[in-house]
Amino acid sequence: MKKRVKSADCPCGSGLLLSACCGPRLAGERPAETAEALMRSRYTAYALGDEAYLLATWHPSTRPDGLDLAADPVKWVGLSVESCTGGQAGDAEGRVCFVARYKAGGRAGRLAEDSRFLSEDGRWYYVDGEVG
Ligand SMILES: [Zn+2]
């Protein structure tokens, strides 16, 4: 059995290597097939500080003018996807409930969100979310 290289594990917690999971999505090589896949890749983008990918996958109706992740240094340390509704290939919309864990200023925190996604021209976009 092959040993996995810990440092290359995908931040989204899938258990796959970054290069076999969210990496190709962030590189623009493989669009997310499902709302959950997009959500995972956006979490990874937050973890890696990839602002361009976050903006590119934000629905134009709610997309901010810009992001400055460095201004608010949060270390994202874990993700668990709790449930999904719709959001499969061929669906027009989907919801993903997740809990993301982070560390900020030496303190641990968690963010629970019910995110909404829309599919347009075969691509998933993040619309908005309710923090719960
Ligand atoms: Zn991933």
Side-chain angles (χ1 to χ4, degrees), residues 10-14 16-18 21-23 40-41 44:
C10 193
C12 82
S14 61
L16 299 169
L17 295 175
L18 177 60
C21 187
C22 299
R40 286 182 170 278
S41 68
T44 297

Side-chain angles (χ1 to χ4, degrees), residues 47-130:
L48 300 179
D50 189 335
E51 294 165 2
Y53 182 78
L54 291 166
L55 292 172
T57 55
W58 216 305
H59 194 269
S61 66
T62 55
R63 182 189 295 152
D65 291 335
L67 285 172
D68 187 4
L69 297 181
D72 187 17
V74 170
K75 187 174 169 14
W76 295 96
V77 293
L79 172 71
S80 47
V81 175
E82 310 278 297
S83 68
C84 306
T85 312
Q88 300 303 303
D91 286 343
E93 56 178 282
R95 302 186 85 95
V96 181
C97 293
F98 65 91
V99 175
R101 294 187 307 283
Y102 62 88
K103 282 190 180 146
R107 288 164 181 266
R110 70 198 284 281
L111 167 77
E113 185 175 309
D114 178 353
S115 292
R116 202 155 59 93
F117 298 86
L118 284 176
S119 178
E120 288 180 2
D121 299 326
R123 282 190 177 243
W124 284 100
Y125 294 92
Y126 170 74
V127 181
D128 55 18
E130 275 171 43

Side-chain angles (χ1 to χ4, degrees), residues 4-42:
R4 280 191 294 139
V5 182
K6 195 78 187 156
S7 61
D9 282 355
C10 193
C12 82
S14 61
L16 299 169
L17 295 175
L18 177 60
S19 60
C21 187
C22 299
R25 306 202 200 289
L26 268 58
E29 293 163 6
R30 186 151 39 99
E33 297 88 357
T34 64
E36 181 182 342
L38 183 74
M39 189 266 131
R40 286 182 170 278
S41 68
R42 285 176 52 86

